[in-house]
Amino acid sequence: MTSRWLFLVIAMFGSLSAEPLWTVGRPDRSTAEFALTPGRYADWRGDALMEPGAGDPARDWPCLQPGPGDAWAGSRPHTYALVFGLKSAGADVGGRLTIDLLDAQKPYGSRLRIAVNGHATERDIPAGGGDQVLSGDLSAVRPTQLALDLPAGWLRAGTNQVEITTLSGCWVLYDALRLEAAGWTRQPVPTAAVFSARADNVLSRRDGELRQVVNAQVRLLGKATEGTFSVGGKPLATVALKPGTQDIDLALPEVNQPTPVTLRLTVAGTEPNEQSVELRPVRHLTIYLLPHSHVDIGYTAR
């Protein structure tokens, strides 16, 4: 193609865009390429962690992501994460992250937090067409596209992470995700570990002392290894990690007023991952049990 014709093509259709750096799924108004494609949501077992291009969406990325309004998934926020390695091919520049959602729960919708290497934004997802999508009927879906421009500095050489968290509402249904970023090339991620945390309103007695319980859900990409949790630079616990998703209960000193704490997970060969939680005082109760026997004779019939 001559330079004259190339100029005309650009003038008609805009600037030429590079191939996406990675894609997950296809924007085709279908969920066939994802795990738990509609009709199998009851098999959902935990939050997703995947390396685009290396993982298999049919195994590693459920088509739907539950929210705090979904009792079947624990009535709590859920975080799906994409981890990928980048190598700069020149000046470090930004890019664009596009998330195509096929539907959201009716009538509540959802609110999502999308974080790229800690840089976060929040978006409201309108209510979808109805719960019939859970049984595979996609005839009334209401698609939503989220396009996030990533400024220079948001992407980095080495391991990168995109986290999508359902802050409120119920489930959302995926159609496709993709990242466009000129000036970068992909490189493999040998190991990655991410986690989410929540403070439970309970106390547990450990080594003769009452401790507050924080539940950490850890997702490991790679081989089994060990991870160390710390608070304020002081080691809290070292745990064995296995590939996939696992829940770990951590015991922190009891507090008598609302106290924010930052948990850090360190795994050899990965960048430390941090999550903030707020510990709240737990009311102490004394419960008395009275052994008792009760017999109803003639209660159900004369």
Side-chain angles (χ1 to χ4, degrees):
M1 182 181 290
T2 66
S3 59
R4 177 174 177 270
W5 282 110
L6 180 62
F7 173 80
L8 290 175
V9 170
I10 295 175
M12 291 173 61
F13 297 101
S15 60
L16 298 179
S17 59
E19 287 293 317
L21 200 60
W22 53 253
T23 61
V24 177
R26 300 179 297 274
D28 56 1
R29 295 175 70 102
S30 168
T31 62
E33 60 270 36
F34 294 113
L36 307 185
T37 194
R40 295 177 48 218
Y41 82 96
D43 294 333
W44 184 90
R45 292 295 179 268
D47 294 351
L49 173 66
M50 192 179 78
E51 180 184 358
D56 181 2
R59 179 193 64 223
D60 303 323
W61 196 267
C63 64
L64 83 168
Q65 179 172 344
D70 292 310
W72 54 268
S75 300
R76 62 178 179 83
H78 291 273
T79 299
Y80 282 16
L82 295 159
V83 179
F84 52 98
L86 291 181
K87 181 179 180 182
S88 177
D92 290 352
V93 295
R96 168 170 286 199
L97 175 66
T98 303
I99 302 173
D100 289 307
L101 297 174
L102 198 55
D103 209 32
Q105 203 269 350
K106 182 180 181 180
Y108 306 109
S110 184
R111 184 170 181 82
L112 299 184
R113 178 181 183 268
I114 302 102
V116 180
N117 293 327
H119 303 281
T121 184
E122 296 182 10
R123 299 289 180 88
D124 288 317
I125 310 302
D131 285 354
Q132 66 272 13
V133 300
L134 297 181
S135 59
D137 181 359
L138 304 180
S139 59
V141 296
R142 297 179 180 177
T144 299
Q145 185 179 83
L146 304 179
L148 286 74
D149 289 323
L150 311 180
W154 281 33
L155 299 175
R156 63 194 180 199
T159 301
N160 291 256
Q161 180 175 307
V162 172
E163 290 184 310
I164 306 169
T165 303
T166 45
L167 296 178
S168 63
C170 296
W171 53 263
V172 296
L173 193 68
Y174 284 100
D175 190 5
L177 306 95
R178 63 187 176 275
L179 176 67
E180 299 164 283
W184 296 93
T185 56
R186 288 276 306 280
Q187 64 181 13
V189 178
T191 305
V194 300
F195 79 105
S196 55
R198 73 175 190 275
D200 294 329
N201 191 36
V202 297
L203 296 173
S204 175
R205 191 174 297 279
R206 306 284 178 90
D207 299 325
E209 296 183 0
L210 290 176
R211 301 276 181 160
Q212 299 206 220
V213 177
V214 172
N215 177 266
Q217 185 182 77
V218 181
R219 284 154 287 151
L220 178 66
L221 180 71
K223 298 181 180 179
T225 184
E226 283 190 343
T228 300
F229 285 95
S230 59
V231 176
K234 298 180 179 180
L236 180 65
T238 298
V239 295
L241 301 178
K242 58 185 179 181
T245 301
Q246 63 190 103
D247 288 303
I248 299 169
D249 284 336
L250 303 171
L252 279 71
E254 184 182 8
V255 301
N256 53 23
Q257 62 182 5
T259 304
V261 298
T262 299
L263 291 171
R264 168 175 280 210
L265 172 61
T266 303
V267 177
T270 73
E271 298 182 12
N273 191 285
E274 293 184 344
Q275 293 289 339
S276 297
V277 296
E278 184 178 66
L279 301 181
R280 293 182 172 274
V282 178
R283 182 183 176 190
H284 288 213
L285 298 174
T286 300
I287 300 175
Y288 297 92
L289 300 178
L290 177 64
H292 180 64
S293 176
H294 180 78
V295 179
D296 282 319
I297 298 178
Y299 177 75
T300 58
R302 293 177 180 234

